[in-house]
Amino acid sequence: MYRYKITFAYDGANFSGFQIQPHKRTVEQTLKNAVNKIAKHPDPPIPVIGSGRTDAGVHALNQVAHFDLPYHLSNESMRKALNSLLPLDILVKKAELVSNDFHARYSAHRKTYRYRVDQGEFVNPFKRNYTAHFKYPVDVDKMREAARDFIGEHDFTSFVASGSQAKSNIRTIYDVQIHRDPAQNEVVFEFTGNGFLYNQIRIMVAFLLEVGSGQRPVSDVKRVLAAKDRTQARMTAPASGLYLVSVDYGKDAERN
Amino acid sequence: MYRYKITFAYDGANFSGFQIQPHKRTVEQTLKNAVNKIAKHPDPPIPVIGSGRTDAGVHALNQVAHFDLPYHLSNESMRKALNSLLPLDILVKKAELVSNDFHARYSAHRKTYRYRVDQGEFVNPFKRNYTAHFKYPVDVDKMREAARDFIGEHDFTSFVASGSQAKSNIRTIYDVQIHRDPAQNEVVFEFTGNGFLYNQIRIMVAFLLEVGSGQRPVSDVKRVLAAKDRTQARMTAPASGLYLVSVDYGKDAERN
């Protein structure tokens, strides 16, 4: 068997998330259809393993998945074959033959997510699916100060949605960057960590916006982390602003 | 009766164009529903008159329409009432009480359209509904030179789609601007004229891209205009790249 790693972007607006669900249009199902068409519909069908799920409406700039094919195709032929079969809201940017011990989910070392918040007075019709909308002024320095308390290894029980199936809520955040994009009239957040819990980034962003708009003190991140109580963080920012930017793997994962 | 002029933006991706059609989601129908809800569903319903149609998938940054209401609302109340009833892919930016002789279509003096062409190697999933995709290098100077021949009063028979219901194909183009947007990796066209025929801008853009990529000589605009033969221009650029930017009216149209 030949294992392929693919790196791909998708516009999440018209997908019911990554994970396969009956009678729904999902990223995983759409990729699986294309891979199995290339493989001439083997029985059982070839599964496609993503680095992780994204929710309905969440986007990806460089999501990663792997699958095994019974025969060899060049990287470029694989990329072209997939793109010729995929709808325009998924683009395979790279396909690579990798060693059989590469695993899109288990080999992932770190992930980076971006969150875009539009600060316009009204919801911009062209951004409604691509940003969150928060019209109140925010103090970026305050949010940066508060965000520093997220960095490191923490129990994120206060920042996980109730549907989470994770065994442990302990995760490590390596970096949080927050900047204004004046051209777009946006505030942009970037989080890098060894993995994120269900809705964790959306809850952290909503929390930081409350800090930035003066509804919470800067010190609240520390307090609410320590409380280990989901009801303390309250809000979840919408899916539309969230982008999976990259998934990082060890260098030894690639064969070619 | 009180006549209101509204200026509004829409993302055309999920509309079957501006004009009402049975069993289709159109901009006109969506606006008409909101206006008639505000007016408490009079019989017959109040019509909404747009400055002109846009095709399925075409966007607007500042489209204009008018309608008559039997009672008075302040401009700001009207804007808010409409936005509270409209879906997020239409945004009313301005509502103005105007004199009863203002007509969104007949009072329009000039219109400006923008056309965005993405030059990336592949179709960007996030731009698929908001640009056309043309990956071949284009010479902007050549396109500018060719576009100068569009300026002025011409018979645009060679640049109108076959479904046109216009009585005359004579129109005046006041200005054509073409520039590169390096940040977006796009070439952007802007056309200002006293009105445009069915698919005229999309045909002119496809034509200019053929000039810019060396498939046609710069002198071809003049030759094809003179031919008055639609088969000469061949291609039509897709709806996704087209934006109605503004509709200009005489100053005397506003009452307040």
Side-chain angles (χ1 to χ4, degrees), chain A residues 9-11 14 59-61 79 88-91 122-123 125-126 128 130 184 243, chain B residues 9-11 14 59-61 79 88-91 122-123 125-126 128 130 184 243:
Chain A
Y10 50 87
D11 174 344
N14 298 325
H59 313 290
L61 304 178
R79 192 185 59 72
L88 289 180
D89 46 358
I90 304 183
L91 174 71
F122 307 110
V123 176
F126 297 98
R128 72 194 189 287
Y130 305 107
Q184 295 287 333
Y243 296 74
Chain B
Y10 50 88
D11 174 344
N14 298 325
H59 313 289
L61 303 179
R79 193 185 58 71
L88 289 180
D89 47 357
I90 304 183
L91 174 70
F122 307 110
V123 176
F126 297 98
R128 72 193 190 289
Y130 305 107
Q184 295 287 333
Y243 296 74

mmCIF file of all heavy atoms in Angstrom, chain A residues 9-11 14 59-61 79 88-91 122-123 125-126 128 130 184 243, chain B residues 9-11 14 59-61 79 88-91 122-123 125-126 128 130 184 243:
data_model
loop_
_atom_site.group_PDB
_atom_site.id
_atom_site.type_symbol
_atom_site.label_atom_id
_atom_site.label_comp_id
_atom_site.label_asym_id
_atom_site.label_seq_id
_atom_site.Cartn_x
_atom_site.Cartn_y
_atom_site.Cartn_z
ATOM 1 N N ALA A 9 -7.035 23.137 1.326
ATOM 2 C CA ALA A 9 -7.815 24.265 1.861
ATOM 3 C C ALA A 9 -9.289 23.989 1.606
ATOM 4 O O ALA A 9 -9.632 23.318 0.644
ATOM 5 C CB ALA A 9 -7.406 25.561 1.155
ATOM 6 N N TYR A 10 -10.137 24.494 2.470
ATOM 7 C CA TYR A 10 -11.571 24.476 2.150
ATOM 8 C C TYR A 10 -12.275 25.673 2.751
ATOM 9 O O TYR A 10 -11.898 26.182 3.798
ATOM 10 C CB TYR A 10 -12.262 23.169 2.555
ATOM 11 C CG TYR A 10 -12.036 22.674 3.958
ATOM 12 C CD1 TYR A 10 -12.846 23.101 5.016
ATOM 13 C CD2 TYR A 10 -11.039 21.751 4.238
ATOM 14 C CE1 TYR A 10 -12.661 22.627 6.305
ATOM 15 C CE2 TYR A 10 -10.837 21.265 5.528
ATOM 16 C CZ TYR A 10 -11.647 21.711 6.549
ATOM 17 O OH TYR A 10 -11.444 21.246 7.823
ATOM 18 N N ASP A 11 -13.283 26.087 2.021
ATOM 19 C CA ASP A 11 -14.218 27.106 2.480
ATOM 20 C C ASP A 11 -15.319 26.340 3.204
ATOM 21 O O ASP A 11 -16.089 25.605 2.583
ATOM 22 C CB ASP A 11 -14.772 27.840 1.255
ATOM 23 C CG ASP A 11 -15.861 28.833 1.608
ATOM 24 O OD1 ASP A 11 -16.414 28.765 2.716
ATOM 25 O OD2 ASP A 11 -16.185 29.674 0.742
ATOM 26 N N ASN A 14 -20.206 25.983 3.163
ATOM 27 C CA ASN A 14 -21.248 25.077 2.673
ATOM 28 C C ASN A 14 -21.028 23.620 3.077
ATOM 29 O O ASN A 14 -21.578 22.712 2.456
ATOM 30 C CB ASN A 14 -21.366 25.196 1.151
ATOM 31 C CG ASN A 14 -21.787 26.597 0.738
ATOM 32 O OD1 ASN A 14 -22.562 27.254 1.429
ATOM 33 N ND2 ASN A 14 -21.248 27.083 -0.369
ATOM 34 N N HIS A 59 -13.256 27.038 8.509
ATOM 35 C CA HIS A 59 -12.465 26.966 7.286
ATOM 36 C C HIS A 59 -11.093 26.343 7.539
ATOM 37 O O HIS A 59 -10.648 26.253 8.680
ATOM 38 C CB HIS A 59 -12.269 28.375 6.722
ATOM 39 C CG HIS A 59 -13.527 29.168 6.682
ATOM 40 N ND1 HIS A 59 -14.550 28.878 5.805
ATOM 41 C CD2 HIS A 59 -13.968 30.213 7.430
ATOM 42 C CE1 HIS A 59 -15.547 29.727 6.009
ATOM 43 N NE2 HIS A 59 -15.222 30.544 6.985
ATOM 44 N N ALA A 60 -10.423 25.973 6.461
ATOM 45 C CA ALA A 60 -9.042 25.505 6.589
ATOM 46 C C ALA A 60 -8.211 26.079 5.455
ATOM 47 O O ALA A 60 -8.660 26.119 4.305
ATOM 48 C CB ALA A 60 -8.988 23.984 6.559
ATOM 49 N N LEU A 61 -7.007 26.546 5.799
ATOM 50 C CA LEU A 61 -6.061 26.993 4.778
ATOM 51 C C LEU A 61 -5.104 25.860 4.433
ATOM 52 O O LEU A 61 -4.688 25.716 3.283
ATOM 53 C CB LEU A 61 -5.281 28.221 5.272
ATOM 54 C CG LEU A 61 -6.163 29.409 5.701
ATOM 55 C CD1 LEU A 61 -5.297 30.554 6.209
ATOM 56 C CD2 LEU A 61 -7.028 29.883 4.530
ATOM 57 N N ARG A 79 -2.279 15.063 -6.941
ATOM 58 C CA ARG A 79 -2.869 16.379 -6.669
ATOM 59 C C ARG A 79 -3.858 16.757 -7.767
ATOM 60 O O ARG A 79 -4.993 17.169 -7.495
ATOM 61 C CB ARG A 79 -1.759 17.438 -6.546
ATOM 62 C CG ARG A 79 -2.226 18.776 -5.987
ATOM 63 C CD ARG A 79 -1.144 19.842 -5.999
ATOM 64 N NE ARG A 79 -0.635 20.092 -7.330
ATOM 65 C CZ ARG A 79 -1.311 20.720 -8.296
ATOM 66 N NH1 ARG A 79 -2.524 21.165 -8.058
ATOM 67 N NH2 ARG A 79 -0.770 20.875 -9.472
ATOM 68 N N LEU A 88 -15.222 23.079 -6.120
ATOM 69 C CA LEU A 88 -14.327 24.241 -6.032
ATOM 70 C C LEU A 88 -14.133 24.769 -4.619
ATOM 71 O O LEU A 88 -13.248 25.584 -4.392
ATOM 72 C CB LEU A 88 -14.833 25.372 -6.936
ATOM 73 C CG LEU A 88 -14.689 25.138 -8.438
ATOM 74 C CD1 LEU A 88 -15.219 26.336 -9.212
ATOM 75 C CD2 LEU A 88 -13.239 24.870 -8.825
ATOM 76 N N ASP A 89 -14.925 24.303 -3.645
ATOM 77 C CA ASP A 89 -14.683 24.797 -2.282
ATOM 78 C C ASP A 89 -13.680 23.947 -1.502
ATOM 79 O O ASP A 89 -13.437 24.224 -0.322
ATOM 80 C CB ASP A 89 -15.977 25.071 -1.482
ATOM 81 C CG ASP A 89 -17.015 23.986 -1.561
ATOM 82 O OD1 ASP A 89 -16.787 22.994 -2.271
ATOM 83 O OD2 ASP A 89 -18.062 24.130 -0.896
ATOM 84 N N ILE A 90 -13.077 22.953 -2.160
ATOM 85 C CA ILE A 90 -11.901 22.260 -1.592
ATOM 86 C C ILE A 90 -10.790 22.328 -2.634
ATOM 87 O O ILE A 90 -11.024 22.037 -3.805
ATOM 88 C CB ILE A 90 -12.176 20.776 -1.286
ATOM 89 C CG1 ILE A 90 -13.373 20.599 -0.353
ATOM 90 C CG2 ILE A 90 -10.925 20.131 -0.647
ATOM 91 C CD1 ILE A 90 -13.630 19.143 0.043
ATOM 92 N N LEU A 91 -9.595 22.699 -2.204
ATOM 93 C CA LEU A 91 -8.436 22.713 -3.105
ATOM 94 C C LEU A 91 -7.292 21.933 -2.469
ATOM 95 O O LEU A 91 -6.832 22.289 -1.374
ATOM 96 C CB LEU A 91 -7.976 24.154 -3.362
ATOM 97 C CG LEU A 91 -6.673 24.269 -4.179
ATOM 98 C CD1 LEU A 91 -6.887 23.867 -5.634
ATOM 99 C CD2 LEU A 91 -6.119 25.690 -4.110
ATOM 100 N N PHE A 122 -21.635 47.349 10.651
ATOM 101 C CA PHE A 122 -22.670 46.379 10.284
ATOM 102 C C PHE A 122 -22.012 45.093 9.786
ATOM 103 O O PHE A 122 -20.844 45.095 9.416
ATOM 104 C CB PHE A 122 -23.559 46.944 9.171
ATOM 105 C CG PHE A 122 -24.126 48.282 9.504
ATOM 106 C CD1 PHE A 122 -23.694 49.425 8.838
ATOM 107 C CD2 PHE A 122 -25.069 48.416 10.512
ATOM 108 C CE1 PHE A 122 -24.190 50.671 9.167
ATOM 109 C CE2 PHE A 122 -25.571 49.658 10.858
ATOM 110 C CZ PHE A 122 -25.136 50.795 10.171
ATOM 111 N N VAL A 123 -22.795 44.025 9.720
ATOM 112 C CA VAL A 123 -22.293 42.787 9.142
ATOM 113 C C VAL A 123 -22.099 43.005 7.642
ATOM 114 O O VAL A 123 -23.053 43.325 6.929
ATOM 115 C CB VAL A 123 -23.264 41.616 9.379
ATOM 116 C CG1 VAL A 123 -22.763 40.353 8.681
ATOM 117 C CG2 VAL A 123 -23.435 41.353 10.867
ATOM 118 N N PRO A 125 -21.953 41.902 4.027
ATOM 119 C CA PRO A 125 -22.508 40.709 3.366
ATOM 120 C C PRO A 125 -21.423 39.793 2.792
ATOM 121 O O PRO A 125 -21.616 38.586 2.742
ATOM 122 C CB PRO A 125 -23.358 41.289 2.230
ATOM 123 C CG PRO A 125 -23.645 42.689 2.610
ATOM 124 C CD PRO A 125 -22.505 43.146 3.461
ATOM 125 N N PHE A 126 -20.286 40.380 2.397
ATOM 126 C CA PHE A 126 -19.225 39.575 1.779
ATOM 127 C C PHE A 126 -18.345 38.878 2.821
ATOM 128 O O PHE A 126 -17.509 38.062 2.477
ATOM 129 C CB PHE A 126 -18.368 40.447 0.857
ATOM 130 C CG PHE A 126 -19.167 40.996 -0.282
ATOM 131 C CD1 PHE A 126 -19.681 42.281 -0.228
ATOM 132 C CD2 PHE A 126 -19.454 40.210 -1.384
ATOM 133 C CE1 PHE A 126 -20.455 42.781 -1.266
ATOM 134 C CE2 PHE A 126 -20.220 40.701 -2.424
ATOM 135 C CZ PHE A 126 -20.722 41.989 -2.369
ATOM 136 N N ARG A 128 -19.814 37.704 5.855
ATOM 137 C CA ARG A 128 -20.663 37.055 6.847
ATOM 138 C C ARG A 128 -20.250 35.619 7.121
ATOM 139 O O ARG A 128 -20.393 35.132 8.241
ATOM 140 C CB ARG A 128 -22.141 37.109 6.420
ATOM 141 C CG ARG A 128 -22.465 36.189 5.264
ATOM 142 C CD ARG A 128 -23.813 36.487 4.647
ATOM 143 N NE ARG A 128 -24.193 35.454 3.683
ATOM 144 C CZ ARG A 128 -23.654 35.288 2.486
ATOM 145 N NH1 ARG A 128 -22.673 36.093 2.073
ATOM 146 N NH2 ARG A 128 -24.069 34.326 1.680
ATOM 147 N N TYR A 130 -17.051 34.542 6.635
ATOM 148 C CA TYR A 130 -15.583 34.479 6.714
ATOM 149 C C TYR A 130 -14.974 35.205 7.906
ATOM 150 O O TYR A 130 -13.755 35.225 8.065
ATOM 151 C CB TYR A 130 -14.982 34.980 5.388
ATOM 152 C CG TYR A 130 -15.556 34.208 4.228
ATOM 153 C CD1 TYR A 130 -16.478 34.778 3.358
ATOM 154 C CD2 TYR A 130 -15.239 32.865 4.071
ATOM 155 C CE1 TYR A 130 -17.055 34.031 2.338
ATOM 156 C CE2 TYR A 130 -15.813 32.113 3.058
ATOM 157 C CZ TYR A 130 -16.717 32.701 2.196
ATOM 158 O OH TYR A 130 -17.289 31.945 1.207
ATOM 159 N N GLN A 184 -8.452 45.623 6.439
ATOM 160 C CA GLN A 184 -9.688 44.847 6.481
ATOM 161 C C GLN A 184 -10.618 45.283 7.617
ATOM 162 O O GLN A 184 -11.721 44.728 7.751
ATOM 163 C CB GLN A 184 -9.354 43.354 6.664
ATOM 164 C CG GLN A 184 -8.607 42.726 5.512
ATOM 165 C CD GLN A 184 -9.497 42.520 4.303
ATOM 166 O OE1 GLN A 184 -10.714 42.374 4.431
ATOM 167 N NE2 GLN A 184 -8.912 42.523 3.116
ATOM 168 N N TYR A 243 -10.209 29.610 11.194
ATOM 169 C CA TYR A 243 -9.442 28.977 10.111
ATOM 170 C C TYR A 243 -8.366 28.083 10.704
ATOM 171 O O TYR A 243 -7.566 28.552 11.526
ATOM 172 C CB TYR A 243 -8.729 30.054 9.259
ATOM 173 C CG TYR A 243 -9.653 30.977 8.521
ATOM 174 C CD1 TYR A 243 -10.348 31.976 9.203
ATOM 175 C CD2 TYR A 243 -9.851 30.851 7.154
ATOM 176 C CE1 TYR A 243 -11.218 32.820 8.533
ATOM 177 C CE2 TYR A 243 -10.715 31.703 6.474
ATOM 178 C CZ TYR A 243 -11.396 32.676 7.172
ATOM 179 O OH TYR A 243 -12.257 33.511 6.507
ATOM 180 N N ALA B 9 -25.949 46.720 -0.493
ATOM 181 C CA ALA B 9 -24.945 45.778 -0.995
ATOM 182 C C ALA B 9 -25.542 44.376 -0.945
ATOM 183 O O ALA B 9 -26.385 44.082 -0.091
ATOM 184 C CB ALA B 9 -23.689 45.832 -0.134
ATOM 185 N N TYR B 10 -25.134 43.530 -1.854
ATOM 186 C CA TYR B 10 -25.464 42.106 -1.705
ATOM 187 C C TYR B 10 -24.374 41.222 -2.267
ATOM 188 O O TYR B 10 -23.669 41.584 -3.196
ATOM 189 C CB TYR B 10 -26.822 41.743 -2.316
ATOM 190 C CG TYR B 10 -27.095 42.201 -3.724
ATOM 191 C CD1 TYR B 10 -26.719 41.420 -4.823
ATOM 192 C CD2 TYR B 10 -27.767 43.392 -3.961
ATOM 193 C CE1 TYR B 10 -27.007 41.830 -6.121
ATOM 194 C CE2 TYR B 10 -28.040 43.811 -5.250
ATOM 195 C CZ TYR B 10 -27.650 43.030 -6.323
ATOM 196 O OH TYR B 10 -27.927 43.442 -7.600
ATOM 197 N N ASP B 11 -24.247 40.081 -1.614
ATOM 198 C CA ASP B 11 -23.393 38.998 -2.085
ATOM 199 C C ASP B 11 -24.278 38.162 -3.009
ATOM 200 O O ASP B 11 -25.225 37.517 -2.561
ATOM 201 C CB ASP B 11 -22.938 38.188 -0.870
ATOM 202 C CG ASP B 11 -22.151 36.948 -1.250
ATOM 203 O OD1 ASP B 11 -22.197 36.542 -2.426
ATOM 204 O OD2 ASP B 11 -21.494 36.371 -0.362
ATOM 205 N N ASN B 14 -25.606 33.468 -3.581
ATOM 206 C CA ASN B 14 -26.756 32.604 -3.308
ATOM 207 C C ASN B 14 -28.082 33.173 -3.819
ATOM 208 O O ASN B 14 -29.148 32.774 -3.360
ATOM 209 C CB ASN B 14 -26.843 32.323 -1.797
ATOM 210 C CG ASN B 14 -25.616 31.584 -1.302
ATOM 211 O OD1 ASN B 14 -25.046 30.756 -2.018
ATOM 212 N ND2 ASN B 14 -25.177 31.884 -0.099
ATOM 213 N N HIS B 59 -22.556 40.513 -7.934
ATOM 214 C CA HIS B 59 -22.623 41.175 -6.640
ATOM 215 C C HIS B 59 -22.922 42.666 -6.792
ATOM 216 O O HIS B 59 -22.789 43.224 -7.880
ATOM 217 C CB HIS B 59 -21.284 41.028 -5.920
ATOM 218 C CG HIS B 59 -20.752 39.635 -5.958
ATOM 219 N ND1 HIS B 59 -21.335 38.616 -5.236
ATOM 220 C CD2 HIS B 59 -19.738 39.057 -6.651
ATOM 221 C CE1 HIS B 59 -20.683 37.491 -5.468
ATOM 222 N NE2 HIS B 59 -19.710 37.730 -6.328
ATOM 223 N N ALA B 60 -23.260 43.306 -5.681
ATOM 224 C CA ALA B 60 -23.422 44.765 -5.689
ATOM 225 C C ALA B 60 -22.838 45.352 -4.418
ATOM 226 O O ALA B 60 -23.032 44.808 -3.332
ATOM 227 C CB ALA B 60 -24.891 45.143 -5.809
ATOM 228 N N LEU B 61 -22.108 46.448 -4.571
ATOM 229 C CA LEU B 61 -21.606 47.180 -3.408
ATOM 230 C C LEU B 61 -22.556 48.320 -3.058
ATOM 231 O O LEU B 61 -22.751 48.636 -1.892
ATOM 232 C CB LEU B 61 -20.197 47.724 -3.688
ATOM 233 C CG LEU B 61 -19.166 46.655 -4.086
ATOM 234 C CD1 LEU B 61 -17.814 47.302 -4.378
ATOM 235 C CD2 LEU B 61 -19.026 45.599 -3.001
ATOM 236 N N ARG B 79 -33.850 52.288 7.462
ATOM 237 C CA ARG B 79 -32.664 51.459 7.261
ATOM 238 C C ARG B 79 -32.628 50.318 8.276
ATOM 239 O O ARG B 79 -32.431 49.159 7.919
ATOM 240 C CB ARG B 79 -31.393 52.325 7.384
ATOM 241 C CG ARG B 79 -30.126 51.631 6.890
ATOM 242 C CD ARG B 79 -28.868 52.448 7.141
ATOM 243 N NE ARG B 79 -28.669 52.774 8.544
ATOM 244 C CZ ARG B 79 -28.330 51.886 9.483
ATOM 245 N NH1 ARG B 79 -28.132 50.631 9.171
ATOM 246 N NH2 ARG B 79 -28.191 52.271 10.730
ATOM 247 N N LEU B 88 -28.533 38.068 5.912
ATOM 248 C CA LEU B 88 -27.207 38.703 6.048
ATOM 249 C C LEU B 88 -26.491 38.910 4.721
ATOM 250 O O LEU B 88 -25.489 39.617 4.682
ATOM 251 C CB LEU B 88 -26.320 37.886 6.992
ATOM 252 C CG LEU B 88 -26.696 37.926 8.468
ATOM 253 C CD1 LEU B 88 -25.730 37.075 9.277
ATOM 254 C CD2 LEU B 88 -26.689 39.358 8.993
ATOM 255 N N ASP B 89 -26.985 38.333 3.632
ATOM 256 C CA ASP B 89 -26.302 38.585 2.352
ATOM 257 C C ASP B 89 -26.831 39.810 1.615
ATOM 258 O O ASP B 89 -26.379 40.103 0.502
ATOM 259 C CB ASP B 89 -26.208 37.340 1.448
ATOM 260 C CG ASP B 89 -27.481 36.560 1.291
ATOM 261 O OD1 ASP B 89 -28.485 36.916 1.919
ATOM 262 O OD2 ASP B 89 -27.460 35.583 0.523
ATOM 263 N N ILE B 90 -27.752 40.546 2.242
ATOM 264 C CA ILE B 90 -28.125 41.891 1.754
ATOM 265 C C ILE B 90 -27.961 42.863 2.914
ATOM 266 O O ILE B 90 -28.426 42.581 4.022
ATOM 267 C CB ILE B 90 -29.593 41.976 1.266
ATOM 268 C CG1 ILE B 90 -29.889 40.937 0.189
ATOM 269 C CG2 ILE B 90 -29.901 43.378 0.741
ATOM 270 C CD1 ILE B 90 -31.316 41.037 -0.369
ATOM 271 N N LEU B 91 -27.318 43.993 2.661
ATOM 272 C CA LEU B 91 -27.179 45.031 3.694
ATOM 273 C C LEU B 91 -27.634 46.363 3.115
ATOM 274 O O LEU B 91 -27.069 46.842 2.126
ATOM 275 C CB LEU B 91 -25.717 45.149 4.144
ATOM 276 C CG LEU B 91 -25.426 46.315 5.116
ATOM 277 C CD1 LEU B 91 -26.040 46.045 6.491
ATOM 278 C CD2 LEU B 91 -23.927 46.561 5.243
ATOM 279 N N PHE B 122 -4.244 28.250 -9.103
ATOM 280 C CA PHE B 122 -5.442 27.416 -8.949
ATOM 281 C C PHE B 122 -6.611 28.285 -8.501
ATOM 282 O O PHE B 122 -6.408 29.386 -8.006
ATOM 283 C CB PHE B 122 -5.200 26.325 -7.900
ATOM 284 C CG PHE B 122 -3.969 25.528 -8.168
ATOM 285 C CD1 PHE B 122 -2.857 25.644 -7.343
ATOM 286 C CD2 PHE B 122 -3.901 24.681 -9.268
ATOM 287 C CE1 PHE B 122 -1.708 24.923 -7.592
ATOM 288 C CE2 PHE B 122 -2.755 23.952 -9.523
ATOM 289 C CZ PHE B 122 -1.654 24.067 -8.700
ATOM 290 N N VAL B 123 -7.805 27.755 -8.627
ATOM 291 C CA VAL B 123 -8.979 28.461 -8.111
ATOM 292 C C VAL B 123 -8.901 28.451 -6.588
ATOM 293 O O VAL B 123 -8.866 27.390 -5.966
ATOM 294 C CB VAL B 123 -10.287 27.787 -8.579
ATOM 295 C CG1 VAL B 123 -11.490 28.479 -7.942
ATOM 296 C CG2 VAL B 123 -10.406 27.823 -10.092
ATOM 297 N N PRO B 125 -10.386 28.486 -3.113
ATOM 298 C CA PRO B 125 -11.741 28.149 -2.632
ATOM 299 C C PRO B 125 -12.483 29.339 -2.037
ATOM 300 O O PRO B 125 -13.712 29.408 -2.127
ATOM 301 C CB PRO B 125 -11.486 27.091 -1.556
ATOM 302 C CG PRO B 125 -10.132 26.538 -1.827
ATOM 303 C CD PRO B 125 -9.350 27.634 -2.502
ATOM 304 N N PHE B 126 -11.724 30.275 -1.437
ATOM 305 C CA PHE B 126 -12.372 31.417 -0.785
ATOM 306 C C PHE B 126 -12.740 32.524 -1.773
ATOM 307 O O PHE B 126 -13.413 33.479 -1.426
ATOM 308 C CB PHE B 126 -11.459 31.978 0.315
ATOM 309 C CG PHE B 126 -11.213 30.977 1.394
ATOM 310 C CD1 PHE B 126 -10.064 30.213 1.405
ATOM 311 C CD2 PHE B 126 -12.172 30.757 2.369
ATOM 312 C CE1 PHE B 126 -9.849 29.260 2.395
ATOM 313 C CE2 PHE B 126 -11.968 29.808 3.353
ATOM 314 C CZ PHE B 126 -10.805 29.053 3.367
ATOM 315 N N ARG B 128 -13.820 31.650 -5.054
ATOM 316 C CA ARG B 128 -14.511 31.048 -6.205
ATOM 317 C C ARG B 128 -15.787 31.787 -6.571
ATOM 318 O O ARG B 128 -16.156 31.857 -7.735
ATOM 319 C CB ARG B 128 -14.800 29.565 -5.953
ATOM 320 C CG ARG B 128 -15.890 29.323 -4.934
ATOM 321 C CD ARG B 128 -15.944 27.888 -4.464
ATOM 322 N NE ARG B 128 -17.140 27.628 -3.677
ATOM 323 C CZ ARG B 128 -17.359 28.101 -2.436
ATOM 324 N NH1 ARG B 128 -16.462 28.864 -1.841
ATOM 325 N NH2 ARG B 128 -18.467 27.824 -1.795
ATOM 326 N N TYR B 130 -16.246 35.063 -5.803
ATOM 327 C CA TYR B 130 -16.011 36.507 -5.712
ATOM 328 C C TYR B 130 -15.042 37.062 -6.754
ATOM 329 O O TYR B 130 -14.761 38.262 -6.756
ATOM 330 C CB TYR B 130 -15.552 36.861 -4.283
ATOM 331 C CG TYR B 130 -16.557 36.360 -3.285
ATOM 332 C CD1 TYR B 130 -16.295 35.256 -2.474
ATOM 333 C CD2 TYR B 130 -17.838 36.919 -3.228
ATOM 334 C CE1 TYR B 130 -17.263 34.758 -1.609
ATOM 335 C CE2 TYR B 130 -18.800 36.427 -2.373
ATOM 336 C CZ TYR B 130 -18.510 35.345 -1.564
ATOM 337 O OH TYR B 130 -19.475 34.850 -0.727
ATOM 338 N N GLN B 184 -3.749 41.058 -3.518
ATOM 339 C CA GLN B 184 -4.757 40.024 -3.790
ATOM 340 C C GLN B 184 -4.374 39.141 -4.972
ATOM 341 O O GLN B 184 -5.111 38.200 -5.286
ATOM 342 C CB GLN B 184 -6.111 40.685 -4.081
ATOM 343 C CG GLN B 184 -6.719 41.437 -2.909
ATOM 344 C CD GLN B 184 -7.253 40.498 -1.851
ATOM 345 O OE1 GLN B 184 -7.624 39.371 -2.128
ATOM 346 N NE2 GLN B 184 -7.278 40.953 -0.601
ATOM 347 N N TYR B 243 -19.130 43.192 -9.980
ATOM 348 C CA TYR B 243 -19.717 43.971 -8.881
ATOM 349 C C TYR B 243 -20.302 45.266 -9.432
ATOM 350 O O TYR B 243 -19.592 46.018 -10.103
ATOM 351 C CB TYR B 243 -18.639 44.359 -7.853
ATOM 352 C CG TYR B 243 -18.003 43.189 -7.145
ATOM 353 C CD1 TYR B 243 -17.092 42.370 -7.801
ATOM 354 C CD2 TYR B 243 -18.329 42.896 -5.831
ATOM 355 C CE1 TYR B 243 -16.515 41.279 -7.159
ATOM 356 C CE2 TYR B 243 -17.747 41.807 -5.179
ATOM 357 C CZ TYR B 243 -16.850 41.007 -5.850
ATOM 358 O OH TYR B 243 -16.285 39.937 -5.217
#
